[in-house]
Amino acid sequence: MTILVTGGAGYIGAHVVRLLLEKGESVVVVDDLSTGQAGRIGNATLVELDVAGPQARETLAATLREHSVEAVIHFAARKQVGESVQRPAYYYQQNVNGFVNVVGAMEDAGVDRLVFSSSAATYGMPSVSVVEEKLHAEPINPYGETKLVGEWLGRAASRAWGLRFVALRYFNVAGAGWDDLGDPAVLNLVPMVLDRIARGESPRLFGDDYPTPDGTCVRDYIHVLDLAKAHIAALGYLGGDERPFDVFNVGTGEGSSVREVIDGLARVSGLTIDPVVEPRRAGDPPVLVGSPERINTVMGWRGEAGLDEILESAWSAWQAGPRRIDV
Ligand SMILES: NC(=O)c1ccc[n+]([C@@H]2O[C@H](COP(=O)([O-])OP(=O)(O)OC[C@H]3O[C@@H](n4cnc5c(N)ncnc54)[C@H](O)[C@@H]3O)[C@@H](O)[C@H]2O)c1
Ligand SMILES: O=c1ccn([C@@H]2O[C@H](COP(=O)(O)OP(=O)(O)O[C@H]3O[C@H](CO)[C@H](O)[C@H](O)[C@H]3O)[C@@H](O)[C@H]2O)c(=O)[nH]1
């Protein structure tokens, strides 16, 4: 089977591409290499393209036809929450227009299986601590809005022309499945802590006065390799009987606080880590943990790695990279 992966040169996409290649599938990656790296996709075919650019729908449709693609996994998107607040039109242009082109091209080329990268950011500030998919989604930033709009387009296309669509709402992704596929962007807690240490600076902890057991925010950390396996499960699910539209959390149901993550990183690395406590960061919900029950029941998927395993893999990949930290 041939699978087209947009954003396949990125952090999560490259893990999925590697799993697919290991399974013997053919993979076509469409990526503009803005944050992705061509060296991460092995011998997959690379088509360099901005999926939100002019003529992208036509180019995508031609690519789908040329390679007889049967399924698409769509990762290509901008993902910085803070930037999305500053530049909403850019985020809608990139994430919404890009996805419109992908769905339009699939309709044009008659390709009907699609897995979409959604986000726990669709939930906004939930009133419950463990969220289920049936909860009303109310994003609080443009990034989360673009993901919810994507889910709506998937639902509408499934009704209109039979698109088989699965949206996966990822919780906090971390770690590395292979040492050469660590998260290269320093935008989330684990790489941000390691980046500060590599610079000889103290890591920052944004707020220790939340209504949580240790006062720091609680998140649901999912190993990027477990997350990648959820995409393989989703492809299998879409190949089955008629299942037009579905949304799943990809979390573990277990929360870890920022302090627990920092202490865990100290434990697995042997580093002494003393974070400086700074004021709360705007827009951070105190607790965001995803119930994995639906995806487990429907697809049999479950996240296997615990926090220590996630952190060990992140540390190992960091040490294999260009900014090794002396312990
Ligand atoms: N990393 C997370 O914690 C997280 C959480 C929830 C959802 N997501 C979503 O998962 C997806 C992948 O995230 P990631 O962490 O691997 O990010 P990433 O930045 O490493 O990967 C994104 C990839 O898409 C490419 N890309 C971006 N815009 C493009 C465009 N307009 N045209 C073509 N290629 C484009 C980039 O070059 C890159 O290779 C994104 O949709 C993101 O919103 C990520
Ligand atoms: O240097 C840092 C970096 C982060 N944090 C804290 O660590 C927690 C996790 O922060 P991240 O930035 O790693 O992740 P978020 O939970 O803010 O958001 C991430 O997960 C979301 C889904 O839960 C979205 O998908 C989003 O795109 C993705 O960045 C937050 O409480 C944050 O305040 C710190 O204390 N210090």
Side-chain angles (χ1 to χ4, degrees), residues 221-223 226 252 254 256 303-313:
Y221 292 88
I222 171 90
H223 195 302
D226 282 335
T252 67
E254 299 288 330
S256 304
E304 280 163 15
L307 183 64
D308 275 11
E309 204 178 319
I310 294 171
L311 297 174
E312 273 163 17
S313 74

Side-chain angles (χ1 to χ4, degrees), residues 236-257:
Y237 172 68
L238 287 174
D241 303 333
E242 203 59 29
R243 290 165 183 138
F245 169 81
D246 234 321
V247 176
F248 297 96
N249 287 339
V250 191
T252 67
E254 299 288 330
S256 304
S257 73

Side-chain angles (χ1 to χ4, degrees), residues 6-14 30-37 40 49-53 74-79 94-95 98 116-121 143 147 168-174 183-185 188 227:
T6 74
Y11 168 52
I12 302 168
V30 173
D31 201 296
D32 66 359
L33 301 181
S34 51
T35 58
Q37 296 163 8
R40 294 173 151 236
L49 176 77
D50 173 1
V51 295
H74 179 64
F75 292 104
R78 307 291 156 204
K79 62 162 186 175
Q94 282 286 299
N95 294 4
F116 172 65
S117 294
S118 189
S119 169
Y143 168 73
K147 294 296 182 180
L168 299 178
R169 292 179 174 168
Y170 315 158
F171 283 69
N172 286 59
V173 189
D183 188 354
N188 290 108
L227 172 63

Side-chain angles (χ1 to χ4, degrees), residues 222-223 225-231 233 249-252 292 295-304:
I222 171 90
H223 195 302
L225 189 56
D226 282 335
L227 172 63
K229 289 176 184 166
H231 292 76
N249 287 339
V250 191
T252 67
I295 190 167
N296 181 243
T297 305
V298 175
M299 293 187 206
W301 175 92
R302 188 173 287 284
E304 280 163 15

Side-chain angles (χ1 to χ4, degrees), residues 149-185:
V149 169
E151 293 183 2
W152 290 341
L153 174 56
R155 183 177 60 190
S158 75
R159 289 176 180 158
W161 56 270
L163 175 69
R164 295 160 170 251
F165 180 80
V166 162
L168 299 178
R169 292 179 174 168
Y170 315 158
F171 283 69
N172 286 59
V173 189
W178 292 269
D179 275 351
D180 61 325
L181 296 188
D183 188 354

